[in-house]
C-alpha cells in the first residue's frame, strides 16, 4: 500500500476531543478496563466448600508437596504481572506509579485480548533499583511471568538483569525487547528486499535508550557487526573516550572515530534506526544513504522524519514508523502477548535470546504470507502484500499467535529452559486455533469430515466478494472444498491481486461468468420449467438468470454441476430464500425451511431455531424444526438437549402461544422419543437446571439446554442479535435446514472465517445427507 492510500484512513479526533473521549471511555459504564471473573461455579454451599474451606486444603497440600502442581490447581501458569514504577510512561515521562495505572491496565487488556493471558497490573512506589528488585522478586509465587513496563533507562537494564538472575520465571522488559523483536523482523525483511547482507549493513541510530540498545543487541545476535553500528544520542556520537552521558551498556557501541554528529555518520548507511525525537532526520541527510535505505523512524507521536517527506527525498526508501496511520507500524502488541503465551505454555523459566530470535524469524516469515481477512480490514484501499510497504504483519493478524507462540515454546525446549516442554505441537496448534477462531473446537469434526468427503464442489453466488475470495483460498489450501465462484473473471482476477491472494481463476478454481457462460440457454430453460407456471414469462426468466447469481448457483446445484450452494453474503435473506425455494425446494416431508444459528461464546455453545425463516410457525412446524435441528447438531459431535422456550413456564400461562409450544413438545416426543427435550419453559429455566427443577422436579431435560426453540421469528431473531452482541459470541450460520439439496444463506455481516465454516458444513451435508 502506498503512503497516498494510507492518507485516506480516517483521521483521529483533535487532541482536546480525543482527551474528552478517552476520559469518558475510562470512566463509563464502570471505571477502568479490567475486572476479575470466577472460572468455577459458586452457586451453592458445596461449591463454596470446594472453592474455599475446607476443600481448598487439598490443592494447598498438593502444591506444598510438589510445587510444579501449582500449574494444575491454580491460575498461576496463565497469570502475568505487568509491573511499573511509572518512571518512563509512554511519551509522558516520570509521572509516577499511580498515574501510570491506566497504561498498565491497557497492557493487561492487550494480553487478554490477543493471547488469552490473565494479568494483574501492579504499580509500585519504588524509584530505586534495589527497592524495585526486592518488591518484584517477592511476587514470584503469584505469577507465571513478569512484564516490566515503562521503567526509565539505565535503571531498567539493571532491574531486569537482577530479576532474571533471582527469579525462576520469565522476566521481560517489553519496552526493550518487544520493540527490538519487531524492529529486527522489519530489518531482516527490508535487507532481504534490498538484496543486502546484515553482516555488511551499516546501521546508524538516533537514540541510545533502553529500546534502541535492545534493538542493536538483538541485531548483533542476528549477524550485524558492532563496527558497522553508529550510535548517537543527545551528546552526539557514542565514541571511544567520551565521558558525558555514558554507561556500560552504551559504551559497547563506542566508535573510534572523529565523527561527532549524525550528518557525519549517515553517508552510506543502509539502515537508520530512530528512537529519539521528531525531526531529527533531515531530508538532505537521506540523499547520503545507500541504495534502497531502510528508515526506522520510531519516535512517537511524531517520527524523526515524516514518511511523505522521506519518500519525496528518497523514492527508493523503505519506511517504518510507530504510527498506525502509516504502513509498517512497529507496535509491541505484534509480539509480547505471543512470546508470553509460548513461554507460559511450556513453563519457561526465562525468556532467553534464542526465544527472542525465534520470535523475530516467525514475525518476519509471517509478513511474507498473504494477509488474513482480519488484517486486511485494518487497512483502507488495496490489501498490502510483502514489499517495501509491508515489511511486518498487521497487529490485527490473528495468525501471529499461531506462528510466534509455538516458535518460542520450541526454542525454550531446545535450550533447556522449559519445565513443561510441549511434546505434541499439532495438538498445541489446535489449542491456539481454538482460541483464535473460537469456532475451532466445535467445527473440528466438521472440517475432518469435509476433508474426506467425495462431494466437495461448493458454488458461491457472490464470487467477487472479498470474504468469499479469502474463504476460497483457505478452502483450497486446507483441502476442505473445491470452490466454484460466480462472478466476472476480470473482476475476480483484479481483486485477488488487490487482496494479495495467490489463487487464480480457471487454474485453482472454476468460474461461472454471469455475462457469458455457455450454459446460459440451458439454465434459462431449466429455470423456466420450474417457474413458468408461477407468473414468470420467458423473457423475464432470461433476465433473472442473467442477473440473479443465487438463481445461477441454485440451478448449478440442481443440475449436479455443484454439490452445495453458499449465498447471502450480499442482499436480502428473503430474496435468496425465494430463489432456493423455487429451484432447490424442500426435502420430502418437510413442512417449511428452518434456519438454525450457532452461538459460540466464552461460556459455551448454544443453538437457536428458527432465527430467519418462518414468521409464526404452527406447532407441527415447530416440532419438525426441533427434530431437524437436533439432527444437525449431532453432525458436530454434540448431544442435543432441547428446550422449547415460552413466556409460560410449564403451564404457568394460558395463551395461544403457550398452548402451541405445549402441543409442539408433545409432537417432539412422538417424532423423536430419544431426543432429550422439554418445555414449554422460561428462558432462565432452559439455562439453569436448578431453576427448572424448582418448577418441574421430574423434567425430562438435564443440565443446560444447548438448543433453544422459539415460538416465532420475532423471539428467535431478537434473542440471536441481543445475545450475540451482549456476550461477544461468534455466530456460525444461519444453517438452512430442510432443503432438498445443501444450500445455505448467510448474513451480510459474515466474515471470511464464517464463510469457510459454512462451506465445510455444506460439504459434509452433501456427502452425508440427513
Amino acid at each position: 500500500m502506498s503512503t497516498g492510500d494510507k492518507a485516506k484512513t480516517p483521521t483521529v479526533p483533535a487532541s482536546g476531543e480525543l482527551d474528552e473521549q478517552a476520559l469518558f471511555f475510562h470512566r463509563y459504564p464502570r471505571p477502568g478496563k479490567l475486572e476479575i471473573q470466577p472460572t468455577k461455579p459458586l452457586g451453592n454451599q458445596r461449591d463454596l466448600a470446594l472453592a474455599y474451606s475446607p476443600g481448598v486444603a487439598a490443592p494447598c497440600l498438593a502444591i506444598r508437596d510438589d510445587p510444579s502442581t501449582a500449574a494444575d490447581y491454580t491460575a498461576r501458569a496463565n497469570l502475568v504481572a505487568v509491573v511499573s514504577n511509572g518512571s518512563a510512561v509512554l511519551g509522558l515521562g516520570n509521572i509516577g506509579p499511580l498515574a501510570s495505572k491506566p497504561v498498565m491496565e491497557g497492557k493487561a487488556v492487550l494480553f487478554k485480548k490477543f493471547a488469552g493471558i490473565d494479568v494483574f497490573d501492579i504499580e509500585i512506589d519504588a524509584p530505586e533499583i534495589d527497592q524495585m528488585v526486592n518488591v518484584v522478586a517477592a511476587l514470584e509465587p503469584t505469577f507465571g511471568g513478569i512484564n516490566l513496563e515503562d521503567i526509565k533507562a539505565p535503571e531498567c537494564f539493571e532491574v531486569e538483569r537482577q530479576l532474571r538472575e533471582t527469579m525462576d520465571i520469565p522476566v521481560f522488559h517489553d519496552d526493550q525487547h518487544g520493540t527490538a523483536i519487531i524492529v529486527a523482523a522489519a530489518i531482516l525483511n527490508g535487507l532481504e528486499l534490498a538484496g543486502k547482507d546484515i553482516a555488511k549493513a551499516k546501521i546508524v541510530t538516533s537514540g541510545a535508550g533502553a529500546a534502541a540498545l535492545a534493538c542493536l543487541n538483538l541485531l548483533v545476535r542476528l549477524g550485524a557487526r558492532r563496527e558497522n553500528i553508529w550510535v548517537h544520542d543527545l551528546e552526539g556520537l557514542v565514541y571511544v573516550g567520551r565521558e558525558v552521558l555514558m554507561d556500560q551498556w552504551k559504551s559497547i557501541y563506542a566508535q573510534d572515530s572523529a565523527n561527532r554528529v549524525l550528518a557525519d555518520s549517515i553517508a552510506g548507511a543502509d539502515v537508520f534506526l530512530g528512537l529519539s525525537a521528531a525531526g531529527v532526520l533531515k531530508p538532505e541527510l537521506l540523499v547520503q544513504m545507500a541504495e534502497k535505505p531502510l528508515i526506522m523512524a520510531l519516535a512517537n507521536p511524531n517520527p524523526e522524519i515524516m514518511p511523505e517527506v522521506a519518500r519525496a527525498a528518497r523514492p527508493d526508501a523503505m519506511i517504518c514508523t510507530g504510527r498506525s496511520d502509516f504502513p509498517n507500524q512497529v507496535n509491541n502488541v505484534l509480539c509480547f502477548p505471543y512470546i508470553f503465551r509460548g513461554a507460559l505454555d511450556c513453563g519457561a523459566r526465562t525468556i532467553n535470546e534464542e526465544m527472542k530470535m525465534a520470535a523475530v524469524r516467525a514475525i518476519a516469515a509471517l509478513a511474507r504470507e498473504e494477509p488474513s481477512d482480519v488484517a486486511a480490514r485494518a487497512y483502507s484501499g488495496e490489501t498490502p502484500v510483502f514489499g517495501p510497504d509491508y515489511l511486518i504483519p498487521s497487529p490485527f493478524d490473528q495468525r501471529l499467535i499461531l506462528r510466534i507462540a509455538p516458535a518460542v515454546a520450541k526454542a525454550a525446549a531446545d535450550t533447556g529452559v522449559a519445565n513443561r516442554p510441549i511434546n505434541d505441537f499439532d495438538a498445541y496448534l489446535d489449542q491456539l486455533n481454538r482460541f483464535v477462531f473460537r469456532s475451532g473446537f466445535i467445527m473440528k469434526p466438521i472440517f475432518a469430515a469435509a476433508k474426506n468427503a467425495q462431494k466437495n464442489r461448493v458454488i458461491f453466488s457472490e464470487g467477487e466478494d472479498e470474504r468469499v475470495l479469502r474463504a476460497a483460498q483457505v478452502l483450497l489450501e486446507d483441502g476442505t472444498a473445491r470452490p466454484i465462484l460466480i462472478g466476472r473473471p476480470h473482476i475476480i482476477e483484479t481483486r485477488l491481486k488487490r487482496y494479495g491472494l495467490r489463487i487464480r481463476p480457471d487454474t485453482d478454481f472454476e468460474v461461472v461468468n454471469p455475462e457469458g457462460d455457455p450454459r446460459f440457454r440451458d439454465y434459462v430453460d431449466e429455470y423456466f420449467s420450474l417457474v413458468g407456471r408461477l407468473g414468470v414469462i420467458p423473457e423475464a426468466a432470461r433476465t433473472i438468470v442473467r442477473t440473479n447469481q443465487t438463481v445461477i448457483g441454485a440451478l448449478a446445484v440442481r443440475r449436479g454441476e455443484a454439490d452445495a450452494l453458499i449465498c447471502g453474503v450480499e442482499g436480502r435473506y428473503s430474496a435468496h430464500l425465494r430463489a432456493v425455494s423455487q429451484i432447490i425446494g424442500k426435502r420430502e416431508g418437510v413442512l417449511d425451511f428452518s434456519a438454525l444459528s450457532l452461538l459460540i461464546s466464552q461460556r459455551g455453545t448454544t443453538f437457536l431455531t428458527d432465527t430467519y425463516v418462518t414468521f409464526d410457525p404452527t406447532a407441527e412446524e415447530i416440532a419438525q424444526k426441533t427434530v431437524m435441528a437436533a439432527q444437525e447438531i449431532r453432525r458436530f459431535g454434540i448431544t442435543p438437549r432441547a428446550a422449547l422456550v415460552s413466556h409460560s413456564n410449564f403451564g404457568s400461562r394460558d395463551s395461544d402461544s403457550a398452548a402451541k409450544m405445549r402441543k409442539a413438545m408433545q409432537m417432539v416426543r412422538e417424532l423423536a422419543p430419544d431426543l432429550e427435550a422439554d418445555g414449554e419453559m422460561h428462558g432462565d429455566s432452559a439455562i439453569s437446571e436448578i431453576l427448572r427443577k424448582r418448577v418441574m422436579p421430574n423434567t425430562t431435560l438435564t443440565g443446560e439446554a444447548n438448543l433453544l426453540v422459539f415460538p416465532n421469528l420475532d423471539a428467535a431473531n431478537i434473542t440471536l442479535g441481543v445475545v450475540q452482541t451482549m456476550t461477544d459470541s461468534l455466530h456460525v450460520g444461519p444453517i438452512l435446514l430442510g432443503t432438498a439439496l445443501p444450500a445455505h444463506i448467510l448474513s451480510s455481516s459474515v466474515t471470511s472465517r464464517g464463510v469457510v465454516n459454512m462451506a465445510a458444513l455444506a460439504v459434509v451435508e452433501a456427502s452425508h445427507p440427513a
Side-chain angles (χ1 to χ4, degrees):
M1 176 181 294
S2 69
T3 303
D5 290 331
K6 281 304 294 182
K8 299 173 185 175
T9 302
T11 56
V12 298
S15 178
E17 182 184 351
L18 181 63
D19 290 347
E20 185 177 337
Q21 291 177 7
L23 291 172
F24 185 89
F25 175 86
H26 282 78
R27 186 171 185 179
Y28 298 101
R30 54 187 296 186
K33 299 188 284 281
L34 294 172
E35 66 178 1
I36 295 175
Q37 291 278 0
T39 60
K40 298 293 189 294
L42 295 171
N44 52 45
Q45 188 61 41
R46 179 172 176 79
D47 289 344
L48 292 174
L50 293 171
Y52 198 54
S53 181
V56 75
C60 288
L61 295 174
I63 295 169
R64 180 200 63 184
D65 296 338
D66 181 1
S68 69
T69 61
D72 301 318
Y73 300 126
T74 75
R76 181 177 187 260
N78 193 53
L79 187 61
V80 166
V82 171
V83 182
S84 180
N85 65 358
S87 59
V89 178
L90 293 174
L92 303 177
N94 188 355
I95 60 174
L98 183 59
S100 76
K101 190 171 181 63
V103 179
M104 304 313 131
E105 282 191 358
K107 194 66 174 273
V109 170
L110 296 178
F111 266 108
K112 186 67 174 179
K113 173 68 175 178
F114 287 95
I117 294 171
D118 295 315
V119 166
F120 291 155
D121 64 289
I122 299 178
E123 296 75 31
I124 58 178
D125 187 5
E128 303 300 326
I129 291 175
D130 290 345
Q131 187 182 11
M132 190 167 193
V133 168
N134 291 335
V135 171
V136 177
L139 299 173
E140 183 169 349
T142 301
F143 296 99
I146 303 290
N147 183 99
L148 300 175
E149 192 75 15
D150 292 349
I151 304 167
K152 70 185 179 73
E155 287 89 337
C156 61
F157 301 120
E158 187 61 21
V159 168
E160 184 186 44
R161 185 189 67 77
Q162 290 189 31
L163 288 174
R164 291 183 65 177
E165 291 177 355
T166 303
M167 303 181 79
D168 207 29
I169 58 175
V171 177
F172 187 81
H173 185 205
D174 183 49
D175 298 329
Q176 292 182 57
H177 309 300
T179 302
I181 287 165
I182 303 158
V183 165
I187 289 177
L188 286 183
N189 279 344
L191 292 177
E192 179 182 312
L193 284 172
K196 298 176 181 179
D197 182 353
I198 191 171
K200 299 177 181 178
K202 181 177 180 179
I203 302 170
V204 175
T205 75
S206 175
L213 293 176
C215 290
L216 296 177
N217 292 341
L218 188 54
L219 289 171
V220 168
R221 297 281 303 193
L222 290 165
R225 300 177 67 86
R226 281 192 171 88
E227 57 265 33
N228 295 335
I229 297 174
W230 299 70
V231 178
H232 301 77
D233 61 9
L234 291 173
E235 288 294 317
L237 180 71
V238 174
Y239 61 88
V240 175
R242 197 182 103 174
E243 297 180 356
V244 180
L245 289 180
M246 290 295 289
D247 55 56
Q248 58 180 309
W249 300 280
K250 194 184 300 184
S251 62
I252 294 172
Y253 295 100
Q255 286 278 4
D256 187 5
S257 171
N259 293 349
R260 290 295 180 267
V261 296
L262 186 64
D264 297 333
S265 307
I266 198 76
D270 300 290
V271 178
F272 169 81
L273 174 58
L275 285 150
S276 53
V280 166
L281 184 61
K282 305 301 180 185
E284 55 269 24
L285 299 183
L286 291 183
V287 180
Q288 302 178 44
M289 294 185 71
E291 182 183 0
K292 296 181 180 178
L294 176 57
I295 301 168
M296 310 288 296
L298 307 181
N300 261 325
N302 297 313
E304 284 79 2
I305 188 168
M306 292 300 290
E308 62 269 22
V309 176
R311 185 83 65 190
R314 287 297 298 266
D316 62 335
M318 294 171 279
I319 307 164
C320 298
T321 71
R323 292 172 51 142
S324 61
D325 54 344
F326 293 107
N328 293 323
Q329 184 196 10
V330 174
N331 187 329
N332 286 18
V333 80
L334 274 165
C335 72
F336 73 79
Y338 318 119
I339 290 172
F340 270 98
R341 181 74 278 159
L344 292 172
D345 290 340
C346 70
R349 297 186 295 275
T350 187
I351 295 175
N352 58 28
E353 295 303 310
E354 289 79 7
M355 293 162 73
K356 289 188 283 185
M357 288 193 290
V360 170
R361 294 190 176 99
I363 294 169
L366 181 56
R368 302 183 191 115
E369 299 182 32
E370 295 89 351
S372 70
D373 64 310
V374 175
R377 287 200 297 271
Y379 294 86
S380 62
E382 294 188 3
T383 304
V385 295
F386 180 57
D389 286 333
Y390 193 70
L391 298 175
I392 45 179
S394 161
F396 296 98
D397 195 323
Q398 289 179 311
R399 297 168 299 176
L400 284 161
I401 192 173
L402 304 178
R403 304 296 188 271
I404 299 172
V408 168
K410 185 177 185 305
D414 290 346
T415 55
V417 299
N419 287 331
R420 302 185 303 276
I422 294 170
N423 297 316
D424 188 343
F425 273 90
D426 288 338
Y428 183 49
L429 279 170
D430 250 2
Q431 175 186 327
L432 295 175
N433 260 302
R434 290 197 295 273
F435 169 76
V436 171
F437 297 116
R438 290 187 294 175
S439 59
F441 180 75
I442 191 170
M443 291 301 297
K444 188 173 182 179
I446 300 297
F447 281 102
K451 287 184 179 181
N452 296 317
Q454 297 299 312
K455 295 184 176 182
N456 62 357
R457 299 169 301 165
V458 180
I459 191 165
F460 296 86
S461 292
E462 296 89 2
E464 298 174 2
D465 188 277
E466 178 182 356
R467 292 162 292 179
V468 172
L469 294 172
R470 293 185 179 280
Q473 176 154 305
V474 172
L475 292 167
L476 285 165
E477 288 178 345
D478 292 348
T480 305
R482 290 164 54 197
I484 303 169
L485 306 188
I486 302 174
R488 295 160 292 178
H490 67 284
I491 298 294
I492 291 175
E493 181 76 34
T494 299
R495 291 182 178 177
L496 287 171
K497 291 178 180 177
R498 179 190 304 168
Y499 304 139
L501 302 175
R502 63 172 177 271
I503 57 173
R504 291 295 174 260
D506 299 322
T507 299
D508 300 305
F509 60 90
E510 181 184 344
V511 175
V512 176
N513 183 0
E515 294 182 342
D517 191 278
R519 295 165 291 190
F520 174 70
R521 187 183 299 275
D522 295 336
Y523 278 25
V524 171
D525 292 343
E526 182 95 15
Y527 181 62
F528 185 71
S529 72
L530 297 169
V531 300
R533 295 183 180 276
L534 299 175
V536 179
I537 63 175
E539 183 61 34
R542 284 192 289 273
T543 301
I544 291 170
V545 173
R546 178 77 73 184
T547 58
N548 191 321
Q549 294 180 190
T550 296
V551 167
I552 296 172
L555 287 168
V557 172
R558 180 183 175 88
R559 288 162 53 87
E561 296 165 358
D563 299 312
L565 167 67
I566 298 292
C567 61
V569 175
E570 300 171 0
R572 293 180 181 273
Y573 190 94
S574 58
H576 293 286
L577 183 61
R578 183 168 57 251
V580 170
S581 178
Q582 289 176 340
I583 299 165
I584 292 178
K586 294 189 285 287
R587 193 168 65 242
E588 185 177 354
V590 171
L591 299 172
D592 197 4
F593 300 112
S594 178
L596 176 68
S597 287
L598 164 59
L599 290 180
I600 305 168
S601 68
Q602 297 283 356
R603 65 182 308 277
T605 299
T606 306
F607 293 86
L608 300 86
T609 199
D610 165 23
T611 52
Y612 276 86
V613 179
T614 311
F615 290 102
D616 189 15
T618 64
E620 292 80 5
E621 289 172 334
I622 290 172
Q624 190 178 72
K625 291 171 188 285
T626 303
V627 174
M628 288 194 299
Q631 292 172 341
E632 192 71 13
I633 291 170
R634 291 189 181 98
R635 292 188 190 276
F636 294 86
I638 296 173
T639 300
R641 296 189 301 276
L644 277 64
V645 294
S646 168
H647 68 282
S648 172
N649 205 25
F650 296 104
S652 64
R653 301 287 294 273
D654 189 13
S655 66
D656 291 343
S657 174
K660 179 174 71 172
M661 297 303 283
R662 215 169 294 144
K663 180 180 178 182
M665 186 63 244
Q666 295 171 353
M667 300 181 73
V668 167
R669 291 195 172 101
E670 295 171 3
L671 291 170
D674 296 333
L675 173 62
E676 189 176 330
D678 210 345
E680 84 289 5
M681 69 178 75
H682 286 170
D684 54 358
S685 294
I687 301 302
S688 169
E689 185 176 25
I690 295 173
L691 293 177
R692 186 164 61 250
K693 285 190 171 182
R694 286 178 186 170
V695 181
M696 183 57 59
N698 63 342
T699 176
T700 53
L701 179 64
T702 61
E704 180 177 322
N706 56 19
L707 170 59
L708 304 181
V709 182
F710 295 88
N712 56 50
L713 186 59
D714 275 348
N717 191 267
I718 291 168
T719 301
L720 170 66
V722 170
V723 173
Q724 181 184 1
T725 302
M726 290 181 66
T727 61
D728 191 26
S729 298
L730 174 68
H731 179 208
V732 178
I735 304 166
L736 187 60
L737 305 179
T739 55
L741 296 166
H744 294 293
I745 305 166
L746 309 185
S747 66
S748 58
S749 62
V750 71
T751 63
S752 68
R753 172 54 55 172
V755 176
V756 170
N757 286 338
M758 291 306 299
L761 182 59
V763 166
V764 174
E765 291 173 340
S767 300
H768 305 283

